[in-house]
Structures are given as structure tokens and as C-alpha cells.
Amino acid sequence: MWWEECKSIEAKIIAMRRDLHKIPELGFHLPKTREYVTHQLDEIGIPYRLSEKDSSIIATLKGKHPGKVLALRADMDALPITEDTELPFCSEHKGCMHACGHDAHTAMLLGAIRVLYPHREELSGEIRFLFQTAEEQAKGATVLLEKGALEGVDAIFGMHIGSILGKDIPSGTIVCVPGPVMASYDRFILEVQGVGCHASTPEKGIDPINIAAHIVLALQAIPSREIAGTEPAILTIGLIHGGELYNAIPSGVRIEGTTRAFQEDVRQRLAKRIKEVSENTAKAFGGSVSLTMDFGAPPVTNDSDLTALAQGCLKEVFQDKLLTHIDKPSMIGEDFALYQQSVPGCFLFLSSSNPEKGTDYPHHHAKFTVDEDVLWKGSAAFVALAEVFLKGQ
């Protein structure tokens, strides 16, 4: 089987991950990352297209005969976090770090291309390798969709490394389950407006800090008192900013938070009630509020037929380290869900949680890193999926 060849290039996959780890970049524009990835693609000889809007890349492998079209996706962007791992290949970009494993995702997909490309004449159909930007902002998938990345595509697979589904899942285990696996995630911003005044004469103003405090408390009741316990929903406030002096009432306060859900109607209900509750609370105290609802991505929901196909071929790769059931999905979000709105998709989870190696820190942590011993298995999973999906059609 072709996937076994990934073990022979394990050192190359690790080296690519380390190279990418040194040059983390944020958002849509990843010039050094794109230059590195395209250099690897040129070395392999595979053709690719570049986006004019961002740093995303679409590489294409065409088989000898017509057939289905499969897409495989990796994200490339990093996070605004100062690294604290003391790794010899730690970030060279101050205040920026691959703290979510996207460097590993990119390296694993590049490893899969290195194995698949020499076998192209044995395949029927086409593989599109999508290297995406701005996943952390839930915006990068949209750019690739606008570029036509999924036109004519029959199915898409993606993968996330780390411990998203729990650090107790042993390193080297792959999780492949049908149905909802990750929640929707959206951001909301509330600008509370009052009237500033001196702290000694609060009656002469309208206190936005007081209003903000009541809004925060009122919002907490939405998921606990308005959403059924059988419908998971989270509303979290992560930022409050207002005031500059201890003895002055400011004119405004900014509140930011996030919502998570698995059902679209719950997702929309949360947004609607945030607006209603915050506006009426502010009005009750004589102030006002404006809401910006930044919708990120819907829930990641794996297609049942595609997941069954994946489970069948991944069993050979991972043996007893294949999980086909989880007790509960993750409330973390992923814009891979946007691809699943266009074509059947399946999102996999590759555990790299190993306490003995210090790779069990949570995602977005300054000490986050991955167990590099599992990287070749990520490449092997992509290769196995492509081989089963396209070979011998």
C-alpha cells in the first residue's frame, strides 16, 4: 500500500514541520509560508495556482484516467502568541507562534503529495490539495471557495492534530466519527454607550460600566434559561474594556464574547437574544448599545457515508488506534465546516498528546507542541484516503 511509503520520508516531514514552525504568520497574508510551500511543490513537480486575494495555494494532481475529484485541505496560519517551548526550532517571529498545529498540518499534506505524485498514473480522477490561510479567523475557507477550489469536487477531507477531543486519547490515535464533531463559533462585539462624568457626581452621567455589568449577567441566562439542556449552547464573555481613570465614569464600554452551538437554529437564536437583551438592558439604565455579530463558521458535521469509507481504509493504517466513537463532540470551532456546506466532507483528529514528551498542552498555549512521531501517520492517512477514493475507478 502506498501509505506505507510515508514512513520512509518521516524525516523529511518532520524537517518541513520544523522549518514552518520557525516562520509563523498571521491571517490571510503568509508570504514566507507560501514561499516555503511553493518551493516544496516545485521540488515535487506538481502544478499549482496562487490566490490573488491571500496566500492560499491550490495544487492539482491529475490521474491517468477520468474519475472522481477529491480535495484534501491543510491550514497554514499561526497565532499572536509568544512561544515558550524552548525548542531549538522555535518561532523566529516575535509575538507569533504555531500554537495550534497548522505547521504540522501543512507538513503532513506536503508529505502526502510527495508519496502520491509518483503514483499519479495509477489513479483515476483528480486530487486538489488546498493550503488555506486565516483559519483562526474563520475566513480563509471563504477565499478558497470563491477561487473555485471545490468546483467539481466530490468529497473533501481535513485533519487536526493535537488534543482537541481530550488529552487522554493516546498519541498516534486517529478519530473518525460521523455527525457533529465541532461546534459553530461566532464572535460578538457590544459597544455600550453612556454619558461620562466625574465619579463624585454619577447622577450627572449615565454609567456604561454599570450597564455593562448588568448586560454580562443577563447574557449568562440565555443559554442556561432559554436553550434546552439537550441542545448544547455556550455564551462566553472574554473581554471587557472601559474607562481610563479610577475617579471618572467613562462614556463607553466594549464587551466581546463568543457563542458555540451544534444546531443552526440555536446559533441564530443566541445572536437574536444577545441583541434583544443587551439593547433592552442598556435602555433600562438610560444608555444604548450597538451589536456587531461576526459569524464565523457553522458546526463541523461529518458525512456518514464518507466517514464509513474513511473508517474502512484508516483501520489498516492505524490498527487498534482508530476511534470510531466519541462521547461528546468538541465545542471548539473550525471553518472546515464551510467546505462541508458545498460537498460531503469528513474531518479527522490525530492525537499527539504525550505527557512524557510534554506534548499534552492545550491548543493556543505558549508551550503547545506536537509529538513528531505521529506526523508520518497523518500523511499516511491522507494517502490511504486518496488511494481508496480514486484508485481503480
Side-chain angles (χ1 to χ4, degrees), residues 28 135-139 183-191 219 234-241 254-261 267-268 270-272 274-275 290-298 331 333:
F28 292 97
E135 186 282 323
E136 296 295 349
Q137 300 176 21
K139 307 296 183 185
S184 64
Y185 71 113
D186 303 310
R187 174 191 181 201
F188 62 88
I189 303 166
L190 293 166
E191 298 285 357
L219 292 182
I234 288 176
L235 189 160
T236 297
I237 307 294
L239 182 153
I240 302 179
H241 180 77
R254 183 183 181 93
I255 302 171
E256 293 190 31
T258 185
T259 60
R260 309 292 166 112
R267 183 188 185 197
Q268 295 300 327
L270 288 169
K272 178 175 181 290
I274 288 170
K275 178 177 173 64
S290 63
L291 167 67
T292 299
M293 198 73 203
D294 182 12
F295 287 100
M331 298 305 290

Side-chain angles (χ1 to χ4, degrees), residues 75-139:
D75 39 12
M76 304 186 292
D77 58 318
L79 288 155
I81 294 173
T82 299
E83 184 164 355
D84 187 27
T85 62
E86 299 183 355
L87 292 168
F89 50 89
C90 67
S91 172
E92 297 174 353
H93 295 172
K94 186 177 180 180
C96 190
M97 176 191 176
H98 271 298
C100 201
H102 297 188
D103 51 340
H105 301 167
T106 302
M108 291 188 299
L109 191 57
L110 285 169
I113 295 173
R114 285 187 174 272
V115 170
L116 286 166
Y117 189 70
H119 293 286
R120 58 193 179 280
E121 292 198 355
E122 300 170 64
L123 291 173
S124 298
E126 177 183 322
I127 308 175
R128 289 187 202 156
F129 303 94
L130 311 183
F131 294 91
Q132 181 199 309
T133 69
E135 186 282 323
E136 296 295 349
Q137 300 176 21
K139 307 296 183 185

